[in-house]
């Protein structure tokens, strides 16, 4: 299983306004998508989950999951930053 770290972390705010979360790897992204996502299922969230699975299987590089996660986070309006 490949969990790949992202070159740059992604900062999101999935819940309370004072609780930012820094996502640094594909496994972090998958955990947020599966456990802490604030909105019901959307196509972008499902695409991000599929991208994380593809990386974990070794089929894609981590940047694919990172980009899909950013798109889903923007869609859910929880993205605070993706270039720390």
């Amino acid at each position: 299983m490949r969990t790949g770290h992202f070159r740059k972390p992604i900062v999101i705010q999935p819940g309370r306004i004072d609780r930012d979360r820094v996502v640094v790897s594909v496994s972090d992204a998958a955990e947020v998508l599966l456990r802490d996502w604030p909105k019901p299922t959307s196509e972008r969230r499902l695409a991000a989950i599929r991208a994380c699975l593809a990386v974990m299987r070794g089929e894609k590089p981590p940047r694919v999951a990172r980009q899909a996660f950013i798109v889903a986070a923007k869609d859910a309006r929880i993205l605070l930053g993706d270039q720390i």
Side-chain angles (χ1 to χ4, degrees), residues 28-57:
D28 283 353
E31 182 178 334
V32 171
L33 287 161
L34 295 172
R35 294 186 184 164
D36 300 327
W37 206 252
K39 284 193 164 191
T41 301
S42 71
E43 187 53 44
R44 290 183 175 140
R45 178 182 176 213
L46 293 175
I49 291 169
R50 286 191 295 269
C52 288
L53 287 172
V55 174
M56 290 178 181
R57 289 186 203 124

Side-chain angles (χ1 to χ4, degrees):
M1 182 168 90
R2 193 170 152 193
T3 57
H5 281 358
F6 297 148
R7 295 187 100 191
K8 295 179 183 177
I10 303 165
V11 182
I12 59 168
Q13 194 174 75
R16 291 181 23 194
I17 201 160
D18 62 340
R19 301 282 181 177
D20 298 352
R21 176 138 184 207
V22 179
V23 178
V24 298
S25 69
V26 175
S27 58
D28 283 353
E31 182 178 334
V32 171
L33 287 161
L34 295 172
R35 294 186 184 164
D36 300 327
W37 206 252
K39 284 193 164 191
T41 301
S42 71
E43 187 53 44
R44 290 183 175 140
R45 178 182 176 213
L46 293 175
I49 291 169
R50 286 191 295 269
C52 288
L53 287 172
V55 174
M56 290 178 181
R57 289 186 203 124
E59 299 167 358
K60 303 276 182 182
R63 65 182 159 75
V64 172
R66 184 180 187 279
Q67 187 57 41
F69 185 84
I70 289 170
V71 170
K74 283 180 183 177
D75 182 55
R77 297 181 180 189
I78 63 169
L79 182 68
L80 293 180
D82 65 353
Q83 295 187 14
I84 293 178

